[in-house]
Each structure stands twice: as structure tokens, then as C-alpha cells.
Amino acid sequence: MRFSRLFAPTLKEPPSDAEIKSHEYLVRGGFIRKVTAGVFDYLPLGKRVLDKIWKIVKEEMDAIGAQEMLMPIIQPAELWKMTGRWDDYGPTMMKLNDRHGREFTLGPTHEEVITFLMKNEINSYKQLPVTVYQIANKYRDELRPRYGLLRAREFVMKDAYSFHSDWESLDEVYQDMRKAYQKIMERVSLRYLIIEASSGAIGGNESHEFVSLAPIGESNVLYCEKCGYQASDERTPYVGEYEKIEEEEKPLERVSTPGVRTVEQVASFLGVGPQRIVKSLLYVGRRGFIMAMIRGDLEINEEKLKEVMKDQSIRLATPEEVLEKFGVPIGFIGPVGIEDVYIVADESVRYLKNFVVGGMKEDTHYINANIGRDFNVDMWADLRMAKEGDPCPVCGAPLKATKGIELGHIFKLGTKYSEAMKAFYMDEKGDLKPFIMGCYGWGVSRTMAAIVEQYHDEKGIIWPLSVAPYTFIITVVNMNKKEQVRVGERIYEILSRNGEEVVLDDRMVTPGVKFNDADLIGFPIRITVGKSVSSGKVEVKMRYSDERVDVSIQGSDSQILSKLLEIKRSYSPPPKV
RNA sequence: CGGGGAGUAGCGCAGGUGGUAGCGCGCCUGCCUUGGGAGCAGGAGGUCGGAGGUUCAAGUCCUCUCUCCCCGACCA
């Protein structure tokens, strides 16, 4: 490709909305352009990178026997209503109506569609197992799209689904996927962690996330340097012991606390530590209000709450709902005297004595509340959000924290969808059984941004070879010098003829422009054709290094080629993390 | 959804108190230049997000509306 023909509009200045380097450089380098919030054009360079990632993902899926297919973007509401996710997934779905008013969604994922297909097409255990996948656009109406390709509303995802008649078979595919994902990470040169995204305690379900390391990542990872435990903070159980407070129970007392709502305010107003205050948060679930209680200095992990309540629809109640139901503003809600509420308390509350809770009346709190005497807890559970320094659930050493970008997620679904959609097959004995399912997602477009996060410097992107839009850029320094043009054309011809991906910068612009664009776009290897042609040499430089090596152009084409390919083989950019 | 900010040329931005629309980059033409975003000269390009209003006069003031960006999203 000649740069003079390449549609790659580069920008000198960062776009005003770019907060992170991958966003800035992908826009400035002419890879992507924003169409509207969270929706992008992929320009030719961006499409080439995307295609390379796409191909790697496809190859690794094919290698483990997954079969590629394609499912629709437009999906009817009925399928989603069968599993209850029309409401559960609700606001994140892009919804639309046809001219008759029928409801549809732009698919955020395809469990319903694939299960519907298999329900109709697979009748016997003899047809199992089967694993299919697709690489296609997904649509999620994110609360707040940002960070360019990292949190987009339209994005490219690989999603695979497997169907089984037994758990062993599911586990085999699960392990295959795990290995395939590791290969993908290696092939795109990303440093990553595989983290547990499930406690493993519930129903044999299992889930792992593949997280690309990046300081700007939105996944919080906890890991143990001693035993190698790695998990998301949401899925890390708390295994520490809580201190038993041995104190005589004092009489319950309601005190006036005008305008004092938050734990910090209550602590300073009453002069007690946050450890002696108990937060009571009201949630709404399928069966009504739920109160979650936890010690004042800790945070509730809503994922744990959903899990112990076996209710994924749980959400925090709004202040209006609370006021309407209980006649008390949030901030003064507490467990004493409350009715029609299921009370779940974190273990941190269990051995507390004489603590502070909301007064169930505006501007009041109770002091010296005690469990059993003043209120009862319906269920004790681990609701605590794990954080750095908590004991490792495996070995007890203090956990460390880091951040990453979630690229892959594999999950043993079990029979959740097959049962909800009555997707059954007939087993050896003639009994109808629900499919045992797994699903496996990979963010293809997001991978592009994750790579840039790990491979860039102050000048631009430094692509790993496997995903670079082109491998070589030939920079002809002075287009008015016939000799330079001739040599540039010759090298361009040699590389092109041998199937190398190369751009010849034949633009009539000053060298600075060419060098800066080459650095910004991130071509791995730059061949500078300049003054040294007169002494029979060009200069070759790898993007991540300042070292320049001279390559003689006096030898044969094949000598030049083998020298350039030798340099290509040694290309190995260092990741930033 | 709550709070804040912003919509003016392709991009980045400036335009007290109302008075005929500006700068830098980019773009076009010519000359010149070519090892890290050159120089000179000349030029093209804007219904100032949209609708309504006040006024002799609105980018500027008022009302409504759309979009975008940032922070937060209930931790009681």
C-alpha cells in the first residue's frame, strides 16, 4: 500500500474526549472514528487490526473443534421473556419495535437464540456434545460508554456455546476453551491473569475471566503472591474471623441525629467508630424488600447478596420506594421494628454488641442495639466486598490488588437456559433431559484497545507483529531525490512480492511528518530511505528501539529480503505492564 | 437517573457590557524546502446544535429542545 493512497487520516492533537491512550492513539492514528457515543467506524487500519485479532480468535476456536455459525443481531422479545432476562437484563438492552409494535432487541448476547435453535434441532444424546461460535456485533446500552473501544455500545465479540449431556463433557470443552483463550492471549502478546469469577460454591457452576493487565482497567483483581490465588474482588469470599465483643447489653435508646445520614456523619456526630455502626441497606428483589446489614466500615458486595438470595434481579431500593413503604427517609432505616423485610446480615455484624442503627424515624438513630433482643436476623452470610489486605481464602496470606481489562469470560451455565426454555434432549433411557450448557465470550474489538494499552509510548502505538496493520513502513525521506524514490520502490516491490505487509510512504511531505505518522500508527519496522542510499545503504529501525541498523542495498533482492526478515523475526516489543 | 460543563470551519479553540465571524492546525494554488509535524504569498471553507422569543440589531440575553463530555449513581 502506498501511503499517498492510504485512507488513514492522522491527527496532531488528541481528540477532546479521549481519556486514555488507546482511545487517543486509535483515533489520532486513523484507526477509528466516533459516530456517536460508544459507536465507532473502523477505518482501513482499524479494520486490518480487527481482522487480525478476529482471525486469531477464529483459528483458536476452530482448533478446539468449535464450529463457526452466525446468529441474528435482531432478536424477538419472546425469547428473552422465556428466560426472564427481558426484565433482568432490561436497561442494558437496545430495544426496538417493528411496524406492528412487536418488541425486539439488538442482541447483547445470544444464549436465548442459540438455546432456541438447539431446542428445535437437537433431540438425542447421540447428537451431543456440540460447540458453536460466532464473531459478530453485540449491542449493549451501557450506562456510560467511555474509554473508546473499551466500553462501547456496539462492539465485536466472539461468543461460543456448548451443549452436553453430562458435566464431564462440559468440563472438557471448558478446559479446551481455557487453553484456547491462553493461546489467544499469547498470540496477541498480552500480559494477563486468569481469575476466578465464581466462588465455586454454588451448584458446580464455574467461571473464569481472562483479564489483560492495565492500570486503567475496570476489573479489580485480587491475587495471592504466596499461593497463586487469583480472583475478582466481587467473587472473593471473606475467610477472616471477626472479633467477639464481650460487653454487657445496654438498654436500647433512640437518639436525635438531625440531618445525619451517612456512616461517616453518624460516626463523628455520635463520637463512635464506624465499626460500631451497622449499615442497613434496603434492596428490592423478586419477593419484596430485603435488608442487607454490614459493619459500618465495610461495603456490601451485591453479587454475593444476589447469590445468597438466589435472585439476580436484586437492586438497591430507591429513596422514593423506601419513603413510600416505610415512611422513613433512607439514612434512618434500621432493623429495629421494621416489618415486611427479609433481613440478611454479614458475618461482621454477628458478634457486635451495643451498636448504632437507623432509628426508623427521620433524624433519629438507635444506640446500643443488640441482635436477638432488638431485632432478628433471617440469614447470616458473607456479604463483604473483598479488598486488598484481606486474607487469601486459600492460604490466608494478605491479598494484593491490581486492575485489568476483562477480555474473555468462560462460564459453565448448567441447565439455567435449557430449563427455562424447555430445551430438552432424549437420553439413553428415553428420558427427557435439559441440555447442560457452557458459554464463552471474548471481546474482539476490546482486545484491540487492550493491546494498545500495553503497547505504546509517548509517540504512539507499538504494535506486536501478530496484530500490526502492516509490518513494514518504507519512509522515503526526500521524494525529490530520484535515487531515494527508486530504492524505496525496489524494497517495496521485494517485500510485496514475498507477501509481506508493507506501506511505502511516498507522500510529498517533509520527513518529520512521515516519521511522526509512522511512530503514531505504530508500524513495527521502519525502513528509512534517505541520504545513505548514496553509499548503498538504507536504515532499519524497530519501533520500540532507538537502535538503527544499516542494510546494504547492493546485494541481490533475496539478500535484502532475508536481512529484513531476519530483523522482523527478532522484533519483540516490551509490554508496558 | 442526579450534578457539572460544552456545542462556533475537517480537528483543537477564542469570541467583557448585544452592533456585518476569528486564531492555530489541516485543506487548495504557486514558489521554495526535505533526516523528526518547514517557510513565504495567495485562496476556499461556518444557516455559531435545533426551535421559539426579546431587540432597530442576537454567537452573545430569555424559554424550550437535542446531542456530546466529565463526575456521581443512592453504601443509608
Side-chain angles (χ1 to χ4, degrees):
Chain A
M1 173 58 69
R2 288 168 190 276
F3 211 135
S4 59
R5 301 282 87 217
L6 180 64
F7 177 46
T10 57
L11 302 171
K12 269 198 209 176
E13 295 178 80
S16 55
D17 58 347
E19 297 176 77
I20 59 170
K21 284 298 172 189
S22 62
H23 188 191
E24 177 188 335
Y25 287 151
L26 288 172
V27 172
R28 283 185 53 206
F31 293 83
I32 59 170
R33 284 292 185 269
K34 183 176 76 177
V35 176
T36 185
V39 178
F40 294 89
D41 291 315
Y42 290 81
L43 278 49
L45 289 176
K47 180 64 163 53
R48 287 181 76 95
V49 175
L50 189 68
D51 280 352
K52 296 205 171 182
I53 298 165
W54 188 302
K55 184 159 174 275
I56 288 169
V57 172
K58 175 176 161 51
E59 284 170 1
E60 295 305 330
M61 287 298 104
D62 292 344
I64 59 168
Q67 301 172 66
E68 189 170 20
M69 60 178 289
L70 189 57
M71 286 178 265
I73 285 164
I74 296 179
Q75 306 179 4
E78 296 87 82
L79 291 181
W80 288 78
K81 286 178 178 166
M82 288 169 81
T83 59
R85 289 212 295 178
W86 186 255
D87 297 320
D88 283 1
Y89 221 98
T92 356
M93 294 201 285
M94 291 280 193
K95 293 176 178 173
L96 60 154
N97 299 304
D98 70 8
R99 65 172 72 193
H100 307 296
R102 267 188 81 193
E103 293 177 296
F104 294 87
T105 180
L106 300 182
T109 176
H110 284 69
E111 282 83 10
E112 279 79 1
V113 171
I114 193 66
T115 306
F116 178 71
L117 176 73
M118 294 306 179
K119 164 192 166 88
N120 294 333
E121 307 306 330
I122 294 203
N123 309 304
S124 161
Y125 72 95
K126 294 174 190 170
Q127 295 164 282
L128 297 173
V130 60
T131 304
V132 293
Y133 77 97
Q134 65 171 346
I135 300 176
N137 278 355
K138 293 285 183 288
Y139 298 83
R140 293 183 190 173
D141 194 2
E142 295 288 350
L143 219 45
R144 224 179 113 190
R146 70 173 146 173
Y147 296 152
L149 259 28
L150 283 184
R151 177 110 65 92
R153 295 198 291 181
E154 178 184 77
F155 56 98
V156 181
M157 178 168 150
K158 185 280 302 178
D159 48 322
Y161 306 90
S162 68
F163 294 79
H164 311 266
S165 53
D166 61 75
W167 287 90
E168 292 69 34
S169 168
L170 170 61
D171 192 58
E172 277 173 37
V173 172
Y174 190 85
Q175 298 307 332
D176 284 348
M177 283 288 172
R178 185 188 167 105
K179 285 178 206 146
Y181 278 22
Q182 288 177 283
K183 282 194 180 158
I184 295 169
M185 283 290 195
E186 285 156 21
R187 289 182 66 182
V188 299
S189 303
L190 282 172
R191 292 203 49 209
Y192 69 102
L193 290 175
I194 303 174
I195 64 172
E196 279 179 38
S198 154
S199 63
I202 305 294
N205 278 4
E206 205 178 331
S207 166
H208 286 89
E209 282 179 33
F210 292 70
V211 172
S212 171
L213 295 178
I216 52 89
E218 297 180 280
S219 295
N220 294 309
V221 179
L222 295 172
Y223 63 97
C224 176
E225 286 177 322
K226 197 170 162 201
C227 75
Y229 174 85
Q230 299 176 348
S232 75
D233 59 352
E234 287 184 339
R235 300 300 174 139
T236 299
Y238 185 76
V239 297
E241 303 270 317
Y242 291 101
E243 186 193 351
K244 228 178 195 148
I245 294 180
E246 306 287 359
E247 236 178 58
E248 208 153 296
E249 293 188 358
K250 296 179 191 164
L252 182 70
E253 194 182 331
R254 190 183 246 156
V255 296
S256 172
T257 53
V260 177
R261 293 157 185 278
T262 67
V263 168
E264 296 77 47
Q265 290 168 350
V266 174
S268 69
F269 186 86
L270 294 174
V272 297
Q275 293 91 338
R276 296 301 287 266
I277 297 168
V278 170
K279 289 200 273 214
S280 314
L281 277 60
L282 282 172
Y283 288 85
V284 180
R286 284 193 209 292
R287 293 182 298 276
F289 283 94
I290 299 159
M291 176 177 283
M293 299 180 65
I294 194 162
R295 212 173 64 197
D297 58 322
L298 303 172
E299 302 298 327
I300 291 277
N301 179 340
E302 288 183 15
E303 295 305 311
K304 286 182 179 175
L305 180 64
K306 286 176 182 173
E307 203 152 295
V308 300
M309 293 303 295
K310 305 242 186 318
D311 183 353
Q312 287 300 311
S313 72
I314 287 175
R315 59 167 178 79
L316 211 50
T318 65
E320 293 72 31
E321 285 170 331
V322 173
L323 195 60
E324 190 183 335
K325 169 80 181 175
F326 302 100
V328 178
I330 59 163
F332 304 100
I333 288 289
V336 180
I338 199 167
E339 286 174 358
D340 289 342
V341 168
Y342 188 86
I343 300 181
V344 197
D346 181 68
E347 294 289 342
S348 59
V349 176
R350 194 162 203 149
Y351 306 113
L352 290 180
K353 294 272 186 215
N354 302 321
F355 48 85
V356 178
V357 294
M360 285 307 282
K361 187 180 159 194
E362 190 161 5
D363 294 340
T364 67
H365 278 78
Y366 282 113
I367 58 171
N368 300 326
N370 285 289
I371 303 153
R373 185 192 69 184
D374 304 319
F375 66 95
N376 286 304
V377 168
D378 295 304
M379 188 199 291
W380 291 98
D382 170 21
L383 299 177
R384 170 177 176 159
M385 180 63 87
K387 54 180 197 250
E388 184 156 32
D390 281 1
C392 169
V394 175
C395 75
L399 290 167
K400 296 268 191 182
T402 188
K403 284 174 180 289
I405 299 162
E406 180 187 347
L407 291 184
H409 201 157
I410 60 178
F411 206 93
K412 291 185 180 176
L413 291 174
T415 55
K416 176 180 173 182
Y417 293 90
S418 49
E419 280 181 31
M421 298 180 73
K422 297 186 172 37
F424 301 133
Y425 66 95
M426 195 167 282
D427 71 7
E428 299 92 318
K429 296 176 192 142
D431 294 332
L432 285 178
K433 294 276 181 61
F435 296 119
I436 294 169
M437 294 171 55
C439 74
Y440 319 91
W442 186 279
V444 174
S445 46
R446 175 180 275 188
T447 302
M448 185 163 151
I451 294 167
V452 178
E453 287 300 328
Q454 283 190 21
Y455 292 96
H456 69 265
D457 62 12
E458 66 290 345
K459 287 171 173 293
I461 304 169
I462 305 172
W463 290 110
L465 277 182
S466 61
V467 294
Y470 291 89
T471 306
F472 296 95
I473 172 110
I474 301 167
T475 302
V476 178
V477 173
N478 188 340
M479 288 298 291
N480 292 318
K481 298 279 194 274
K482 291 207 170 56
E483 184 64 3
Q484 291 185 22
V485 173
R486 197 185 59 76
V487 170
E489 292 281 353
R490 179 179 169 210
I491 296 171
Y492 179 57
E493 160 68 15
I494 294 170
L495 288 169
S496 303
R497 188 173 353 109
N498 285 278
E500 291 298 324
E501 296 172 300
V502 53
V503 169
L504 175 67
D505 197 344
D506 59 342
R507 293 175 297 170
M508 297 291 292
V509 296
T510 53
V513 173
K514 294 186 178 186
F515 291 139
N516 282 307
D517 276 347
D519 288 343
L520 175 62
I521 291 169
F523 300 96
I525 299 162
R526 190 180 81 201
I527 301 162
T528 309
V529 182
K531 287 186 282 218
S532 58
V533 289
S534 55
S535 50
K537 284 179 292 196
V538 294
E539 185 182 283
V540 182
K541 177 186 169 301
M542 294 197 273
R543 172 64 179 82
Y544 60 87
S545 159
D546 289 330
E547 194 186 333
R548 294 135 203 263
V549 299
D550 287 336
V551 171
S552 167
I553 46 170
Q554 286 167 326
S556 67
D557 287 4
S558 62
Q559 281 173 322
I560 293 171
L561 179 68
S562 68
K563 183 66 191 167
L564 291 174
L565 293 182
E566 186 191 319
I567 292 167
K568 176 183 168 185
R569 276 193 298 277
S570 68
Y571 181 85
S572 170
K576 265 195 108 65
V577 281

